[in-house]
Amino acid sequence: MSPKNWIRTAATVALVVFAASACGQDDPPLTKGTPVPSPKAGAQQENALPRREPSPNAPALDQIKYNLERRVLAMGGMIDRPTSSTCDTGKVSDQPQTFTCTVSYLGVQVPFRVETKGGSFMVQYTATPTKGGVITREGVQARAWKEYGVYGGKTRDSLRCDEVPTVRLVPVDKPSGYRCYVGEGGLAGTYDVIIGSNGMRLH
């Protein structure tokens, strides 16, 4: 092989290696997900309520249902949609008790294991989601816009999120498998959508 042919071949190999390395890199945030639109007016409400709040003298079970519905609304991104709930007990007694309450939201059932500690005057309880928390596409987009879109400029224009289903259950307090991305600006980066037992956050 002549020197000229060797040089040409080596250069070709170098170009091929470089191209392969470039293809193997992760896509930058600018190309992941889809652009996040400005949320619809009135879609997200900071104080979205499931229904009329029960009076302080209402049965403890009514108050537990109300609080669980508020928690599910927060998980979904405070998108104001109808909620309802049922429990497999008719009332909360003054003795320690364990039962299940299920909140319905956007056609998804979110069950909680409720454990009360008993008491005649004030019922203390814990409520743990047993099959996950609820995530919504509209809620993720609204949350991302609130966190990053409001900054405007490059941050707003490069804001993108994965294609989240309209609504579904995901693990609680763990990365949901869905992310949002800021491609440019001081907040550039990748953010996991996490559904906590009391709401949604981007981390």
Side-chain angles (χ1 to χ4, degrees):
M1 181 182 294
S2 69
K4 288 185 178 181
N5 286 339
W6 184 88
I7 293 171
R8 185 179 299 113
T9 302
T12 302
V13 171
L15 287 173
V16 171
V17 170
F18 176 79
S21 299
C23 291
Q25 295 175 351
D26 289 337
D27 292 335
L30 278 170
T31 63
K32 292 184 176 180
T34 57
V36 175
S38 174
K40 299 176 182 177
Q44 185 184 39
Q45 299 182 12
E46 287 299 319
N47 297 311
L49 299 176
R51 49 190 167 134
R52 180 179 294 180
E53 185 174 3
S55 70
N57 297 323
L61 190 60
D62 287 349
Q63 298 188 38
I64 290 174
K65 287 181 178 179
Y66 178 81
N67 288 329
L68 294 182
E69 290 179 35
R70 288 198 67 175
R71 284 174 61 177
V72 169
L73 275 171
M75 290 176 185
M78 297 303 285
I79 301 303
D80 195 10
R81 298 291 186 274
T83 58
S84 62
S85 55
T86 59
C87 299
D88 61 3
T89 184
K91 67 175 184 178
V92 176
S93 72
D94 58 2
Q95 299 298 315
Q97 193 176 358
T98 300
F99 53 91
T100 297
C101 289
T102 301
V103 176
S104 298
Y105 179 62
L106 291 172
V108 170
Q109 311 299 308
V110 187
F112 291 82
R113 184 179 68 254
V114 182
E115 299 177 78
T116 67
K117 295 183 178 180
S120 301
F121 300 103
M122 182 178 294
V123 176
Q124 293 183 323
Y125 70 96
T126 59
T128 307
T130 59
K131 293 186 178 180
V134 65
I135 190 173
T136 69
R137 177 188 305 153
E138 194 174 353
V140 169
Q141 291 181 342
R143 182 71 183 190
W145 187 269
K146 179 182 176 182
E147 293 278 337
Y148 308 109
V150 293
Y151 286 99
K154 292 182 178 180
T155 300
R156 175 200 61 207
D157 295 341
S158 66
L159 179 59
R160 305 170 72 89
C161 288
D162 290 336
E163 191 67 26
V164 179
T166 302
V167 59
R168 65 165 296 182
L169 293 178
V170 295
V172 173
D173 291 324
K174 298 179 181 179
S176 64
Y178 301 100
R179 293 176 171 178
C180 290
Y181 314 91
V182 177
E184 297 183 283
L187 296 173
T190 298
Y191 301 89
D192 285 308
V193 181
I194 299 175
I195 303 301
S197 58
N198 291 298
M200 176 194 298
R201 66 183 186 274
L202 300 179
H203 179 72

